[in-house]
Amino acid sequence: MLESLREQVLEANLEIVRRGLVLYTFGNASGIDREQGLVAIKPSGVPYESMKPSDMVLTDLDGKIVEGSLRPSSDLATHLFLYREFPTIGGVVHTHSEFATAWAQAGRSIPSFGTTHADYFYGPVPVTDELNAEEIGGDYVLNTGVAIARRFREQNLDPDAVPAVLVAGHAPFAWGKTPAAAAYHAVVLEAVARMAFYTVTLNAEGAGISQALQDRHYFRKHGAKATYGQ
Amino acid sequence: MLESLREQVLEANLEIVRRGLVLYTFGNASGIDREQGLVAIKPSGVPYESMKPSDMVLTDLDGKIVEGSLRPSSDLATHLFLYREFPTIGGVVHTHSEFATAWAQAGRSIPSFGTTHADYFYGPVPVTDELNAEEIGGDYVLNTGVAIARRFREQNLDPDAVPAVLVAGHAPFAWGKTPAAAAYHAVVLEAVARMAFYTVTLNAEGAGISQALQDRHYFRKHGAKATYGQ
Amino acid sequence: MLESLREQVLEANLEIVRRGLVLYTFGNASGIDREQGLVAIKPSGVPYESMKPSDMVLTDLDGKIVEGSLRPSSDLATHLFLYREFPTIGGVVHTHSEFATAWAQAGRSIPSFGTTHADYFYGPVPVTDELNAEEIGGDYVLNTGVAIARRFREQNLDPDAVPAVLVAGHAPFAWGKTPAAAAYHAVVLEAVARMAFYTVTLNAEGAGISQALQDRHYFRKHGAKATYGQ
Amino acid sequence: MLESLREQVLEANLEIVRRGLVLYTFGNASGIDREQGLVAIKPSGVPYESMKPSDMVLTDLDGKIVEGSLRPSSDLATHLFLYREFPTIGGVVHTHSEFATAWAQAGRSIPSFGTTHADYFYGPVPVTDELNAEEIGGDYVLNTGVAIARRFREQNLDPDAVPAVLVAGHAPFAWGKTPAAAAYHAVVLEAVARMAFYTVTLNAEGAGISQALQDRHYFRKHGAKATYGQ
């Protein structure tokens, strides 16, 4: 079971590389076994080409290393916080993919400009507040997760319906039921961010879809009445 | 004959993948056998890598499945409407290709800015009105086709001369005499949309070609006096 | 000798494909044997993948086909006019490469914004006037060449020092001492056009290099005092 | 030892090609053996595909060729000046990578817009002043280095903490402890420049990170308290 988790996490890490979301060793994916309360995550600063399932580091939800000889990703504390805060998710992916990162650097949430967005994200992909000096000087990586959770609580967002966020001045996090779903959402987010960039350049004011179209597309792919796929 | 149709439809689906118009399972292509009144279309949500001709779903023009064990593309009703409305077309392609989708999301038609455009599209590539809540809440996929047809009727456009459209807040549809021609138009549309994006950034007001140049280029490649090719 | 010319012309056609300047059958390259007064040019609308040296069409400077069973590129008359007008050039390349075409569609010449430009183009890459209805309705392809030559004469430009032009509302032409040099200039032009696009977005007014820097870089690579290369 | 230096320098030259920073023969990398006072640098205008370690040209810090039958890169004098001025660096890379070059052409330094930047560059990547006619007319390549050093001295910048610069109207230089580190910084600089371009388009005024976040990220990867990697 943990062997399968390690393989899924490795595969999610490789998928974001294959899709062009990763430069060098940037980015990391993790997955959780909820029953055992164990998280598998990419090791820090190891090249993707040579990574094996056994390189994935196993920790508990407090970050104690349970298995693995390598140091875990330096973003571990954010991943763990998200698993504790969002009990329904099974995988987390962090990248510095270029267009999503640009929106994060600009401090702007990504509006729902069309059905590609609406198919996967129910409403805008939010951006956190900037972390203040205290949060940065303190437990910074943990506080990144805190800022994400705060944004979701403030806007009453459902992490299953909005499976991604932009951390202001930093980059996106995405998640999903599984590590594969988290990677998939990270890839779609980058495409949506790219098209949204072009869209605001073409129409700075007027773009955006109706609530009716948002609903129609989102619920075509999600929930009890979904009709997409086999 | 239907075997050949299935192969042509599969090939059109693969062409839009090869040309970079498709992310994951987004996008779909279909073709029609006008004599038999049968349409072959990509199945819904199936990975392109493993698709076979026999996976293409055969339906009649009312959407009744005639052959095939998979569920057809969720956009089937739009394809069928276009075949009923535009009697000269033999293939339809729908993608979320990034620049064409950005123009659709911005709610802007793509002006004829140069001869690349004029070679394939006689005048602007139009954008539909946004669908209203009633149209979205009703037979949404069908109504997408209705909105396309309405735009063409209102502007008195010839679908053979303007073989593509942008659905507002959604993405493009393209068509042609065959599935291959529909895919070709979808690919050219994306290139034209990309260059038009750069053009309006460089010259927000003044760009656009004369009617004389539009005519010269379009009729160099189309109609009785065409001189292009072998 | 003509065999070698055909091979050089084929190779120039393939080079612009390899470098991403060509979609489908767009674009064409030619070369001239000045002694014999014969031009070899790509056939019209033939896929690049299967092209052989023997497919290149041989014509004299008036466009009379001397050898070859295929129809020559529909832009032949522009190529021939350039060979007649610019006696020092040995190859011509026409593409619809995306950024150079965007500048052409915007009706803007490409300013010399940096040393990459200055290394290959001595001053701005000019844009022609739009052709008027008479020129378009008459011998259009020839008149495209006429418009190019007019711009060079009006601005007293040396085609050896500025080996490319933008045809307004259309796309670029590039040339050089050989077909390979023409292709090289077409490729560099696209890179220069792309960087110039980003540059004007970052600095709409203030960009541009001094005459001293233009001179320094251009003459580092060209003329009697060139020091670049082996 | 010199054999290893030549191999490292070749590898750095190939890395910038693999990462898409180089068109044709543009760009060059060098490395220094501080003990022997010898620099290995790419030869001028030689295609990358066929380059061998033995093609790297060895010179002393005054540019006297010590070994090698080819002419060294035409930018040699800038490299040598940087080695003399910045005693801690071991490799220098020069490219015309597209986004970094666009910032250089626009005459703008690249602000620290996010943690990707902050991880590698402590503060903005500066842009030099334009060289004046005298500097260009004189020992131009050397004076490019002089302009870089002047900017670093004026702004009291540490070349180890800001391992890159934009030369106004020209393109970037990057450096590092080794030729590999210099190439790595050139690649990251291009990614940072690209994302910064998108960021200013999305938010012309308000983007930029706090000093606290800059510090946190930079010192996570550099200095005595670094925690990133194995």
Side-chain angles (χ1 to χ4, degrees):
Chain A
M1 197 146 178
L2 289 172
E3 190 48 32
S4 158
L5 180 65
R6 277 201 200 86
E7 277 166 16
Q8 289 175 54
V9 169
L10 173 60
E11 175 57 25
N13 276 293
L14 296 179
E15 172 68 0
I16 56 175
V17 174
R18 277 192 300 260
R19 298 286 172 171
L21 274 64
V22 168
L23 181 67
Y24 290 120
T25 60
F26 303 1
N28 41 69
S30 70
I32 188 168
D33 180 324
R34 288 279 176 190
E35 271 185 41
Q36 303 196 43
L38 293 180
V39 168
I41 192 164
K42 173 176 167 277
S44 178
V46 168
Y48 286 89
E49 299 79 46
S50 54
M51 245 187 261
K52 301 181 299 297
S54 59
D55 292 335
M56 301 302 111
V57 184
L58 278 182
T59 78
D60 64 19
L61 273 167
D62 297 321
K64 216 187 72 182
I65 296 184
V66 170
E67 217 178 284
S69 53
L70 297 169
R71 193 185 286 193
S73 163
S74 59
D75 294 307
L76 172 65
T78 313
H79 289 244
L80 296 179
F81 189 88
L82 292 175
Y83 287 124
R84 294 195 301 264
E85 184 76 12
F86 300 156
T88 61
I89 68 175
V92 171
V93 164
H94 172 52
T95 80
H96 288 207
S97 68
E98 295 187 347
F99 280 89
T101 299
W103 284 90
Q105 292 189 158
R108 294 178 64 171
S109 61
I110 305 176
S112 187
F113 281 146
T115 62
T116 324
H117 184 119
D119 279 337
Y120 295 98
F121 303 102
Y122 189 67
V125 175
V127 64
T128 67
D129 288 326
E130 288 183 44
L131 275 66
N132 61 35
E134 214 170 316
E135 293 166 319
I136 293 168
D139 199 340
Y140 166 63
V141 183
L142 177 80
N143 288 336
T144 298
V146 172
I148 295 170
R150 193 165 52 215
R151 173 61 74 245
F152 271 66
R153 276 198 304 272
E154 279 172 8
Q155 301 190 348
N156 201 22
L157 300 174
D158 173 1
D160 290 334
V162 183
V165 72
L166 308 174
V167 178
H170 187 161
F173 281 80
W175 50 81
K177 295 288 179 206
T178 60
Y184 188 94
H185 290 146
V187 173
V188 172
L189 174 65
E190 179 63 7
V192 161
R194 195 180 302 126
M195 295 196 291
F197 175 85
Y198 303 141
T199 302
V200 291
T201 303
L202 289 170
N203 187 343
E205 303 302 330
I209 61 172
S210 65
Q211 188 60 40
L213 188 56
Q214 172 71 60
D215 287 351
R216 185 78 198 197
H217 267 263
Y218 188 76
F219 295 114
R220 190 158 87 150
K221 292 212 171 179
H222 301 86
K225 298 187 179 167
T227 59
Y228 185 84
Q230 299 302 322
Chain B
M1 197 144 177
L2 289 172
E3 189 49 29
S4 157
L5 181 65
R6 276 201 201 86
E7 278 166 15
Q8 289 176 54
V9 169
L10 174 60
E11 175 58 24
N13 276 294
L14 296 179
E15 173 70 359
I16 56 175
V17 174
R18 278 192 299 260
R19 297 286 171 172
L21 274 65
V22 168
L23 179 67
Y24 290 120
T25 60
F26 303 1
N28 41 71
S30 70
I32 188 167
D33 179 324
R34 288 280 176 189
E35 272 185 39
Q36 303 196 45
L38 293 179
V39 168
I41 192 165
K42 172 176 167 278
S44 178
V46 168
Y48 285 89
E49 298 79 46
S50 53
M51 247 187 260
K52 301 180 300 296
S54 60
D55 292 336
M56 302 300 111
V57 185
L58 277 183
T59 79
D60 65 20
L61 273 167
D62 297 320
K64 216 187 73 181
I65 295 182
V66 170
E67 218 177 282
S69 53
L70 297 169
R71 193 185 287 192
S73 162
S74 59
D75 294 307
L76 173 64
T78 312
H79 289 243
L80 296 179
F81 188 88
L82 293 175
Y83 286 123
R84 294 195 302 264
E85 184 75 13
F86 300 156
T88 60
I89 68 175
V92 171
V93 163
H94 171 53
T95 80
H96 288 207
S97 69
E98 295 188 345
F99 280 89
T101 299
W103 285 90
Q105 292 189 158
R108 294 178 64 171
S109 61
I110 304 176
S112 187
F113 281 145
T115 63
T116 325
H117 184 120
D119 279 338
Y120 295 98
F121 303 102
Y122 189 67
V125 175
V127 65
T128 67
D129 288 326
E130 288 182 45
L131 274 67
N132 61 34
E134 215 170 315
E135 292 166 318
I136 292 166
D139 199 341
Y140 166 63
V141 183
L142 177 80
N143 287 337
T144 298
V146 172
I148 295 170
R150 193 165 52 214
R151 172 62 73 244
F152 272 67
R153 277 199 305 272
E154 279 172 8
Q155 300 191 350
N156 201 23
L157 300 174
D158 173 1
D160 290 335
V162 183
V165 72
L166 307 174
V167 178
H170 188 160
F173 282 80
W175 49 81
K177 295 288 178 205
T178 61
Y184 187 94
H185 289 146
V187 173
V188 172
L189 173 65
E190 179 63 6
V192 161
R194 195 180 303 127
M195 293 196 292
F197 175 85
Y198 303 140
T199 303
V200 290
T201 303
L202 288 169
N203 186 343
E205 303 301 330
I209 61 173
S210 65
Q211 188 60 41
L213 189 56
Q214 172 71 60
D215 287 351
R216 184 79 197 196
H217 267 263
Y218 188 77
F219 296 113
R220 191 158 87 148
K221 291 211 171 180
H222 302 86
K225 298 186 179 168
T227 59
Y228 184 85
Q230 298 301 322
Chain C
M1 195 145 178
L2 289 172
E3 190 49 28
S4 157
L5 181 65
R6 277 200 200 87
E7 278 166 14
Q8 288 176 54
V9 170
L10 174 60
E11 175 57 25
N13 276 294
L14 296 180
E15 173 68 359
I16 56 175
V17 174
R18 277 192 300 260
R19 297 287 171 171
L21 274 63
V22 168
L23 180 66
Y24 290 121
T25 61
F26 304 1
N28 41 69
S30 70
I32 188 167
D33 179 323
R34 289 278 177 191
E35 271 185 39
Q36 302 195 44
L38 292 179
V39 168
I41 192 166
K42 175 176 166 275
S44 178
V46 167
Y48 286 89
E49 298 79 46
S50 54
M51 245 187 261
K52 300 181 300 296
S54 60
D55 292 336
M56 301 302 110
V57 185
L58 277 183
T59 80
D60 65 20
L61 272 167
D62 299 320
K64 217 187 71 179
I65 294 182
V66 171
E67 217 178 282
S69 54
L70 297 169
R71 193 185 288 192
S73 162
S74 59
D75 294 307
L76 173 65
T78 313
H79 289 243
L80 296 179
F81 189 88
L82 292 175
Y83 287 123
R84 295 194 302 265
E85 185 74 13
F86 300 155
T88 60
I89 68 176
V92 172
V93 164
H94 172 52
T95 80
H96 287 208
S97 69
E98 297 188 344
F99 280 88
T101 299
W103 284 91
Q105 292 189 157
R108 293 177 66 170
S109 61
I110 305 176
S112 186
F113 282 145
T115 62
T116 325
H117 184 119
D119 279 337
Y120 296 99
F121 303 102
Y122 190 67
V125 175
V127 64
T128 68
D129 288 326
E130 289 182 44
L131 275 66
N132 62 33
E134 215 170 315
E135 292 166 319
I136 292 167
D139 199 340
Y140 166 64
V141 183
L142 177 80
N143 288 336
T144 297
V146 172
I148 294 170
R150 193 165 52 215
R151 173 61 74 242
F152 271 68
R153 277 199 305 272
E154 279 171 8
Q155 300 191 349
N156 201 23
L157 299 174
D158 172 2
D160 290 335
V162 183
V165 73
L166 308 174
V167 178
H170 188 161
F173 280 81
W175 49 80
K177 295 288 179 205
T178 61
Y184 188 94
H185 289 147
V187 173
V188 173
L189 174 65
E190 178 63 6
V192 161
R194 195 180 304 127
M195 294 196 292
F197 175 85
Y198 302 140
T199 303
V200 290
T201 303
L202 288 170
N203 187 343
E205 303 302 330
I209 62 172
S210 65
Q211 188 59 41
L213 189 57
Q214 171 70 61
D215 287 352
R216 184 78 197 197
H217 267 263
Y218 188 77
F219 295 114
R220 191 158 86 149
K221 290 211 172 180
H222 302 87
K225 298 186 178 168
T227 59
Y228 185 85
Q230 298 302 323
Chain D
M1 195 144 177
L2 290 172
E3 189 49 30
S4 157
L5 180 66
R6 277 200 199 86
E7 278 166 16
Q8 289 176 52
V9 169
L10 174 60
E11 175 57 24
N13 276 293
L14 296 180
E15 173 68 359
I16 57 175
V17 174
R18 277 192 299 262
R19 298 286 172 171
L21 273 64
V22 168
L23 181 67
Y24 290 121
T25 60
F26 304 1
N28 41 70
S30 70
I32 189 168
D33 179 323
R34 289 278 177 190
E35 272 185 39
Q36 303 196 43
L38 293 179
V39 168
I41 191 165
K42 174 176 165 275
S44 178
V46 168
Y48 286 88
E49 298 79 46
S50 54
M51 246 187 260
K52 300 181 301 295
S54 59
D55 292 336
M56 301 302 110
V57 185
L58 277 183
T59 79
D60 64 19
L61 273 167
D62 298 320
K64 215 187 74 180
I65 295 182
V66 170
E67 217 178 283
S69 53
L70 297 169
R71 193 184 287 191
S73 164
S74 59
D75 294 306
L76 173 65
T78 313
H79 289 243
L80 296 179
F81 188 88
L82 292 175
Y83 287 123
R84 293 195 302 265
E85 184 76 12
F86 300 155
T88 60
I89 68 175
V92 171
V93 164
H94 171 53
T95 80
H96 288 208
S97 69
E98 296 188 346
F99 281 88
T101 299
W103 284 91
Q105 292 189 158
R108 293 178 64 171
S109 60
I110 305 176
S112 186
F113 281 146
T115 62
T116 325
H117 185 118
D119 279 337
Y120 295 99
F121 304 101
Y122 189 67
V125 175
V127 64
T128 68
D129 287 325
E130 289 183 44
L131 274 67
N132 62 33
E134 214 170 316
E135 292 166 319
I136 292 167
D139 198 340
Y140 166 64
V141 183
L142 178 79
N143 287 337
T144 297
V146 172
I148 294 171
R150 194 165 51 215
R151 173 61 73 244
F152 271 67
R153 275 198 304 271
E154 278 172 9
Q155 301 190 349
N156 200 24
L157 299 175
D158 172 2
D160 290 334
V162 183
V165 73
L166 309 174
V167 177
H170 188 160
F173 281 80
W175 49 80
K177 296 287 179 206
T178 61
Y184 188 93
H185 289 147
V187 173
V188 172
L189 174 65
E190 178 64 7
V192 161
R194 196 180 303 126
M195 295 196 291
F197 175 84
Y198 303 141
T199 303
V200 291
T201 304
L202 288 170
N203 186 344
E205 303 301 331
I209 61 171
S210 64
Q211 188 60 40
L213 189 56
Q214 171 72 59
D215 287 352
R216 184 80 197 195
H217 267 262
Y218 187 75
F219 295 114
R220 191 159 86 149
K221 291 211 172 182
H222 302 85
K225 299 186 179 168
T227 59
Y228 184 84
Q230 297 302 321

